Amino acid sequence: MPAPNPPVPDALPRHVAIIMDGNGRWAESRGLERSAGHRQGLETTRRAVRFYATRGIDTLSLFAFSSENWGRPSSEVEALFDLFVSAIEAELPELRERGVTLRFVGERAGFPGELRQRMQDAEDLTRDNGGMCLVIALGYGGRWDILQAARRWAEAGMPGDGDGEAVFGSFLATSGLPDVDLLIRTGGEQRISNFLLWQAAYAELLFLETYWPDVGDRELEHSLAWYGRRQRRFGRVRGPSEGAVAGVESSRA
Ligand code: IPE
Ligand code: IPE
Ligand code: MG
């Protein structure tokens, strides 16, 4: 049997996506309200943004509120919206300093007006930044995204004879961004929960037991080291002579 390709320690994912799960259980295990878990989770979010931006990651996508999360008690949903409003205000100066471009993806209908305004302002203020693209998925569902793309694609006359997948992809909410290379889920569950279904078609999946508020530099470092040891094949056969190793290609060529 041929020896596997050696790992390349510095092979970096271009696009990291995170399902930040476990806030509620983190709080409940301490006898706290679930909203305390969301507040503590925000601390981890800040640390993760700094970490991946410093490491030169091109795109970081964070799942903050799913289409299905509308099914939670209204008190929790309202507490989350309040937290998003204050977080955008509090974090914007540092994000601008770091040159981060903010982009929100998801269905905004039903969001409080103040939140929608903050989202729009943050996007406008960071649009021309040249650093990491930070995608916040709010009111997002992978099926919603594919459906809204299909509708707009049909309205445009179903373009894309030669490269149909790329053209269709340009109608998705993540238009212009690379496919997800590394998808991380914290909190112990091993499911996608309707996150970036199309975009993560060939992502490497890393499931961590740690609740999101407990994630620290150790887990973040581990995510990149773990990714660097993956051998991505995209359906092809890879032998040592071909020299293809994890992370060298981050989308299907
Ligand atoms: C993820 O944490 C954050 C959101 C969905 C907003 P959860 O709130 O799902 O936490 P658990 O899974 O109940 O512990
Ligand atoms: C996924 O977590 C959504 C976010 C992290 C925003 P959930 O806690 O909502 O997912 P399920 O219900 O366990 O699938
Ligand atoms: Mg959860």
Side-chain angles (χ1 to χ4, degrees), residues 18-23 25 34 62-69 72 80 84 137 140 185-186 189 191-195:
I18 309 180
I19 301 173
M20 309 180 290
D21 197 26
N23 293 350
R25 282 165 288 161
R34 291 175 61 85
L62 302 175
F63 207 6
F65 189 81
S66 74
S67 314
E68 289 71 28
N69 288 151
R72 295 192 179 198
L80 278 168
F84 298 150
Y140 183 86
R185 182 176 187 137
T186 62
E189 309 296 352
R191 54 178 172 252
I192 310 277
S193 297
N194 197 18
F195 198 21

Side-chain angles (χ1 to χ4, degrees), residues 5-72:
N5 291 320
V8 175
D10 61 352
L12 275 182
R14 278 181 76 198
H15 186 168
V16 177
I18 309 180
I19 301 173
M20 309 180 290
D21 197 26
N23 293 350
R25 282 165 288 161
W26 180 92
E28 282 159 9
S29 69
R30 287 166 171 74
L32 301 170
E33 298 282 328
R34 291 175 61 85
S35 56
H38 296 314
R39 281 198 301 277
Q40 193 62 34
L42 180 59
E43 300 295 321
T44 305
T45 304
R46 187 180 299 122
R47 186 183 303 137
V49 170
R50 283 182 190 153
F51 175 84
Y52 290 112
T54 308
R55 293 310 175 92
I57 297 301
D58 181 274
T59 303
L60 175 65
S61 293
L62 302 175
F63 207 6
F65 189 81
S66 74
S67 314
E68 289 71 28
N69 288 151
W70 280 110
R72 295 192 179 198

Side-chain angles (χ1 to χ4, degrees), residues 146-159 168 171:
I146 292 169
L147 192 56
Q148 68 79 25
R151 286 197 174 115
R152 295 192 304 119
W153 177 73
E155 277 165 22
M158 304 189 196
F168 186 83
F171 287 86

